[in-house]
């Protein structure tokens, strides 16, 4: 049985929308696309390269898949660990709108997402990685399908944009596994799923 990890870039106020560029996702009139780029230093690159040493498959939302498919197939250098894994390994896309996909190794998941992903975890081995894919990520979190959560928290507040944990998110507890920071100030947090929150009182 495979485990599922989610890697997500967040601002201090929890926004995940369009970290990589203005053209990624301007929906809702979002004016801050590309907010993560100024913090992409060597420490950040090393962390991401290490994450990409582990996957056996990828699971992506439709928007993230289209962004990746427009970029990574053009990166064919054997010395790029991210491109090598994304181009070579199986990719599963949760979508209700795509009818076909040209990126080699892509399978479309068009049924009920929690059911499809639970079956995928049962069927595969190793680590299935989800990157970005905010809408899909929230669905997976709400159905307890995320085993490991990598939150990369950038030192910026935007005040607007889609959030990973909006009002109404299902309560969940996580255990901190590893923490660090880049020279540019990105906090690197890795959590393991730990069931539901527990409660007490300081009184």
């Amino acid at each position: 049985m495979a485990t599922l990890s989610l890697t997500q870039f967040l601002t201090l106020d929890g926004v995940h929308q369009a970290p990589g560029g203005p053209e990624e996702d301007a929906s809702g009139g979002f004016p801050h696309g590309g907010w993560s780029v100024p913090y992409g230093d060597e420490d950040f690159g090393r962390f991401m390269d290490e994450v990409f040493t582990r996957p056996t498959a990828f699971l992506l939302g439709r928007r993230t898949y289209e962004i990746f498919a427009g970029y990574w197939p053009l990166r064919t250098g054997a010395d790029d660990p991210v491109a090598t894994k994304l181009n070579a390994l199986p990719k599963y896309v949760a979508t209700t709108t795509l009818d076909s996909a040209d990126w080699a190794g892509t399978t479309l998941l068009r049924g009920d997402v929690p059911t499809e992903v639970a079956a995928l975890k049962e069927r595969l081995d190793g680590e299935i990685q989800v990157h970005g894919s905010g809408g899909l990520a929230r669905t997976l979190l709400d159905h307890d399908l995320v085993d490991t959560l990598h939150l990369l928290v950038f030192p910026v507040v935007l005040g607007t944009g889609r959030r990973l944990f909006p009002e109404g998110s299902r309560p969940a507890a996580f255990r901190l596994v590893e923490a660090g920071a880049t020279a540019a100030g990105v906090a690197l947090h890795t959590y393991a799923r730990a069931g539901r929150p527990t409660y007490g009182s300081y009184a």
Side-chain angles (χ1 to χ4, degrees):
M1 180 173 177
T3 61
L4 190 147
S5 70
L6 167 62
T7 300
Q8 194 69 252
F9 300 175
L10 295 180
T11 66
L12 289 174
D13 55 337
V15 173
H16 67 79
Q17 186 171 354
E23 70 288 344
E24 272 191 351
D25 180 10
S27 61
F30 185 66
H32 303 295
W35 49 266
S36 77
V37 177
Y39 304 96
D41 61 6
E42 291 184 5
D43 292 338
F44 174 82
R46 278 193 294 269
F47 179 86
M48 292 306 299
D49 285 351
E50 197 277 329
V51 168
F52 274 90
T53 64
R54 299 192 299 266
T56 53
F58 296 97
L59 170 65
L60 302 170
R62 189 266 304 168
R63 180 179 284 116
T64 298
Y65 173 79
E66 290 181 334
I67 292 169
F68 280 17
Y71 179 78
W72 290 110
L74 306 177
R75 300 288 296 270
T76 57
D79 59 343
D80 187 328
V82 177
T84 299
K85 289 297 177 72
L86 280 169
N87 287 320
L89 292 177
K91 292 163 284 289
Y92 298 87
V93 185
T95 179
T96 59
T97 56
L98 288 181
D99 294 319
S100 62
D102 296 330
W103 195 3
T106 298
T107 300
L108 302 181
L109 303 180
R110 299 183 57 84
D112 176 72
V113 169
T115 301
E116 293 270 11
V117 174
L120 196 64
K121 290 178 69 174
E122 288 285 348
R123 189 165 72 248
L124 300 182
D125 294 316
E127 180 178 329
I128 304 169
Q129 290 191 353
V130 181
H131 292 270
S133 308
L136 171 63
R138 286 191 296 272
T139 297
L140 298 176
L141 287 163
D142 283 347
H143 288 83
D144 296 327
L145 289 166
V146 175
D147 301 294
T148 302
L149 181 58
H150 302 294
L151 293 184
L152 283 66
V153 183
F154 291 73
V156 59
V157 171
L158 300 179
T160 185
R162 289 201 304 275
R163 286 163 169 78
L164 180 62
F165 299 107
E167 187 77 17
S169 296
R170 187 178 189 183
F174 291 86
R175 175 175 54 85
L176 183 64
V177 175
E178 189 173 355
T182 70
V186 180
L188 311 172
H189 296 158
T190 297
Y191 298 93
R193 184 162 54 95
R196 296 282 168 259
T198 56
Y199 306 96
S201 172
Y202 291 112

